[in-house]
Amino acid sequence: MRMVPTMSIILLLVMKLLDTNMVNAKPKAKGYAGPGPWDWQNDQSNYPVFSPYPVSKLDQPQFMKINRNISVMVGETAFLPCRVKNLDEYTVSWIRADDVTVLSVGHLAFSSDKRISVVQVPRPRLSASDWNLSIENASLEDDGQYECQVNTDPKINYKVFLAVADPAKYPQADSPYYEVVDPAPAKGFEQTHSVIKKHHKEVEKDGFSMYLHDNGCICPKPQFKLLDTVKQLQKDLVMTISGGSIEYVTSGGGIMLECLVSGLSSPPLSLYWEKGNKVVTAKERPGVSLETEKVAGVSRITLYFGSAELSDTGNYTCVSDTAKRETVLLVVTQGDDMKAASLASASLPSGVSTMVYSLTVLTISVLTVVITSH
């Protein structure tokens, strides 16, 4: 009976020891060499860790470099440039620095001067825009310094300098070779001194002479008028066609039409034959050929017909870019008709035969042209 409690106590102690070993148990070593399971909570990783993308404020407006020295003549329109990048919700203003007068705010012109306005030009590729101040009909009073401002905190500004010149006050006005004639007002002034000055042709000086050209130039050499020279050269050019204004040939016979252009200072750019407003070429038909010689002095073009046909009858015009056109009439007649005309003329007196021959040939030519055209 005493053995029962003792056995119970021993069993309880064994169970207690087993419980403790199970709680503190550790995994046994593996029988193979390989990576173990990844403890993603405690194990340190070699992978890089990126910080969040920094969020910064919008870029502040800034002026881009652009020409700040502007020069105009009296009466012209002056454009004062101002290029601003990253303007966003800010506003551009123009101020005249001499008297600190606000001329414009944004697109609105604050000045009572109607000549002043603002011209905006977007520059999307530069993330910028131009805010140009326009001053129409500039005067000497507009000369000075201007400021383009942006209402940031603190404000930023870009200085532009405008220079307005009056040509009427050039030192050239004091020259003894000029006199001022009806000085033009500033509003309608043009940039050429020939408008307000003229040459003293009647004044004789010991020094060199000056010449007023048509384009307003006051030059030490006289004007060379190219137009008159070209006209004179064209008068010297002569175009002639060898053989006269009418050429006769029997069908099947050969003939040559020669055109000469003389008095050339340089070779012509073009020289060719036309028939009925169509350029004659060697490709017209077999038996037709051309020979052209373009040289200074005398140029020539020769048209050869190895075997003339009735269809070759017509007006042939010699054309060149240097001289007036000349035309020759080519008449191609049938062989039998020419023989009949010759026999008829042989039985008549010499004076009558010449007239009959001419009339016969003319009649045959007209009939040939009519038949060919139909």
Side-chain angles (χ1 to χ4, degrees):
M1 295 295 293
R2 290 181 181 177
M3 292 293 294
V4 174
T6 304
M7 291 296 293
S8 299
I9 293 171
I10 292 173
L11 288 171
L12 288 172
L13 290 173
V14 171
M15 291 177 64
K16 183 67 175 175
L17 289 172
L18 291 174
D19 239 359
T20 305
N21 290 335
M22 289 180 66
V23 171
N24 298 325
K26 294 183 179 180
K28 295 181 179 180
K30 293 179 283 186
Y32 64 94
W38 179 35
D39 186 358
W40 60 274
Q41 291 181 328
N42 300 318
D43 191 17
Q44 293 184 357
S45 174
N46 293 327
Y47 295 101
V49 178
F50 297 97
S51 59
Y53 186 79
V55 179
S56 60
K57 296 182 180 180
L58 294 174
D59 294 333
Q60 291 293 311
Q62 58 181 335
F63 295 105
M64 301 185 69
K65 289 185 178 180
I66 197 169
N67 181 27
R68 63 171 74 229
N69 297 309
I70 308 300
S71 300
V72 296
M73 295 291 182
V74 172
E76 292 182 338
T77 299
F79 291 98
L80 309 185
C82 179
R83 182 169 295 175
V84 187
K85 187 175 182 180
N86 303 322
L87 185 60
D88 200 32
E89 75 276 4
Y90 296 97
T91 306
V92 176
S93 303
W94 275 98
I95 296 175
R96 185 163 50 217
D98 294 343
D99 52 5
V100 197
T101 302
V102 178
L103 302 177
S104 67
V105 176
H107 295 91
L108 182 63
F110 267 36
S111 175
S112 59
D113 193 344
K114 295 182 180 180
R115 302 177 303 136
I116 295 177
S117 61
V118 177
V119 180
Q120 182 191 6
V121 181
R123 305 288 182 184
R125 293 187 178 182
L126 303 176
S127 300
S129 58
D130 292 352
W131 294 80
N132 301 329
L133 182 68
S134 172
I135 304 177
E136 296 180 357
N137 192 19
S139 62
L140 295 176
E141 289 74 16
D142 297 323
D143 190 289
Q145 178 180 319
Y146 295 78
E147 289 186 6
C148 176
Q149 293 187 355
V150 179
N151 61 337
T152 55
D153 189 14
K155 291 183 179 180
I156 58 175
N157 61 71
Y158 187 82
K159 294 180 175 61
V160 180
F161 303 92
L162 174 62
V164 183
D166 186 1
K169 297 183 179 180
Y170 283 166
Q172 203 175 31
D174 299 331
S175 171
Y177 292 99
Y178 306 93
E179 67 176 353
V180 177
V181 180
D182 299 330
K187 181 176 181 180
F189 184 79
E190 298 181 14
Q191 287 190 61
T192 167
H193 57 269
S194 63
V195 176
I196 61 172
K197 297 178 175 65
K198 72 177 183 180
H199 184 236
H200 279 225
K201 295 183 179 180
E202 66 277 1
V203 177
E204 294 184 359
K205 296 291 180 180
D206 296 334
F208 58 90
S209 300
M210 302 293 289
Y211 300 88
L212 176 62
H213 293 193
D214 293 340
N215 61 355
C217 173
I218 308 298
C219 304
K221 294 183 179 181
Q223 181 176 1
F224 178 76
K225 295 185 178 181
L226 182 61
L227 183 60
D228 296 340
T229 304
V230 171
K231 288 182 178 179
Q232 183 63 36
L233 290 175
Q234 289 180 345
K235 289 181 180 179
D236 297 337
L237 297 176
V238 178
M239 177 182 286
T240 57
I241 297 178
S242 304
S245 58
I246 302 178
E247 290 285 345
Y248 297 96
V249 64
T250 306
S251 177
I255 191 170
M256 175 186 70
L257 301 181
E258 185 180 42
C259 175
L260 302 175
V261 181
S262 58
L264 293 169
S265 59
S266 60
L269 298 177
S270 61
L271 183 60
Y272 55 92
W273 283 101
E274 278 187 358
K275 179 187 178 184
N277 295 327
K278 182 181 177 182
V279 179
V280 179
T281 64
K283 298 180 181 180
E284 295 290 329
R285 61 175 178 80
V288 178
S289 61
L290 283 166
E291 182 180 336
T292 306
E293 183 182 6
K294 296 179 182 179
V295 293
V298 180
S299 295
R300 71 184 70 239
I301 180 170
T302 307
L303 176 61
Y304 296 95
F305 292 92
S307 178
E309 298 179 358
L310 295 178
S311 58
D312 295 330
T313 301
N315 289 319
Y316 290 82
T317 303
C318 184
V319 182
S320 175
D321 63 311
T322 57
K324 293 183 179 180
R325 302 182 174 196
E326 292 292 338
T327 302
V328 59
L329 172 62
L330 175 61
V331 179
V332 182
T333 60
Q334 294 181 353
D336 296 339
D337 296 334
M338 288 295 294
K339 290 179 180 179
S342 299
L343 292 174
S345 61
S347 61
L348 296 174
S350 60
V352 178
S353 63
T354 304
M355 181 177 63
V356 171
Y357 174 78
S358 301
L359 291 174
T360 303
V361 172
L362 182 59
T363 304
I364 294 172
S365 302
V366 172
L367 291 175
T368 303
V369 173
V370 172
I371 293 172
T372 304
S373 62
H374 289 285

